[in-house]
Amino acid sequence: MNTQEVHIMVDAHVHIHEHFDLNRLFLISVQNFRKVLNNFQIFYPFQSFLLLTESSGVNQFDRLKSLAGKEDDRYDFTLALTGEAETLKVTTGGGQELYVVSGKQIVTSEKLEVLALGLDEDYPDGRPLTYVLEDLADKSCLKVVPWGAGKWLGARGRIIETLVASWNGGPLFLGDNGNRPSFWSLPGVFDKAAAKNICNLPGSDPLPFKEQEKKAGSSGFMVRGALDENAPFAALKTMVVEAPQALTCFGSPEKPVPFFKNQVSMQIAKRRRSQPHH
């Protein structure tokens, strides 16, 4: 156990899309974390985490795991196993370390999402929100209900409000999102949730477009603590669950023009996927 306390930087909503350049993803995420610390006037050593949120049918974590301990000229980083099945240690060419943790993005029957951070097994889409959250209580993951553009309005917004008001099922978090635009303020339910110790675990949520890997590490949270090198995610999870009010969130909202551009691109991509193939 490493008993030295350090600043721990965490991006709690990371997708590795197929076309992403992994060298850039890891290098830029560490640079983004460093930039945030500099803004806070913190210049000490730090540890960092990218918590994956993989959609159904996607498993980039297993792809990374298969590279652990192997030399590959394509990559300017090395990957090593840890004592946790769900955690890999990345060391960049410049000697910076970061942990990558497996996790799932689960779509509920209400078309809301649940992030199961640290879950290292497949989980089906299409079940009701409360069922998913209760079911995940038996698994050693952090449960986050992430904000999504348009997803917390109207009837679905009322579902989130009801969930927060009635929740008494153990640790739960909401998640702000690096794609929330500057003109769209953080919903008031975040304040109501914080009053019930349902705190904010934000993340960058890179979209499946060119150069979005550079978003990793730009939104998230930081906490001070000591990590166990053999079980780093377990140590992080304990800090987050036991003292969620000690977390400091960071990240800037998306500018309006890129936000609208990305939303249009996402709709086009969805339409293409739903069209029958001939």
Side-chain angles (χ1 to χ4, degrees), residues 142 173 223 226 231-244 247:
L142 293 169
F173 301 87
V223 62
F233 182 63
L236 174 68
K237 202 166 48 185
T238 300
M239 289 174 222
V240 168
V241 168
E242 290 185 355
L247 310 179

Side-chain angles (χ1 to χ4, degrees), residues 41-107:
Q41 297 290 296
I42 297 167
F43 305 105
Y44 306 110
F46 67 98
Q47 292 278 9
S48 52
F49 285 81
L50 299 180
L51 306 186
L52 299 189
T53 52
E54 304 208 85
S55 303
S56 179
V58 176
N59 202 329
Q60 292 289 336
F61 183 78
D62 267 9
R63 174 187 161 208
L64 292 176
K65 209 171 199 177
S66 71
L67 298 172
K70 292 179 184 164
E71 294 287 325
D72 193 318
D73 292 342
R74 292 172 300 169
Y75 302 125
D76 186 27
F77 58 84
T78 56
L79 282 157
L81 302 175
T82 67
E84 298 174 317
E86 69 273 21
T87 309
L88 292 169
K89 185 180 191 176
V90 179
T91 306
T92 69
Q96 291 278 11
E97 294 176 354
L98 70 153
Y99 293 105
V100 177
V101 179
S102 67
K104 302 297 174 187
Q105 177 171 283
I106 301 158
V107 180

Side-chain angles (χ1 to χ4, degrees), residues 11-29:
D11 183 337
H13 193 153
V14 180
H15 297 281
I16 300 179
H17 298 289
E18 265 182 44
H19 60 278
F20 275 13
D21 180 323
L22 293 176
N23 294 317
R24 277 167 56 86
L25 173 76
F26 295 140
L27 183 64
I28 293 175
S29 61

Side-chain angles (χ1 to χ4, degrees), residues 59 102-104 106 116 118-124 135-136 139-140:
N59 202 329
S102 67
K104 302 297 174 187
I106 301 158
L119 187 66
D120 190 26
E121 60 185 80
D122 290 333
Y123 195 95
D135 188 47
L136 289 174
K139 303 181 189 297
S140 61

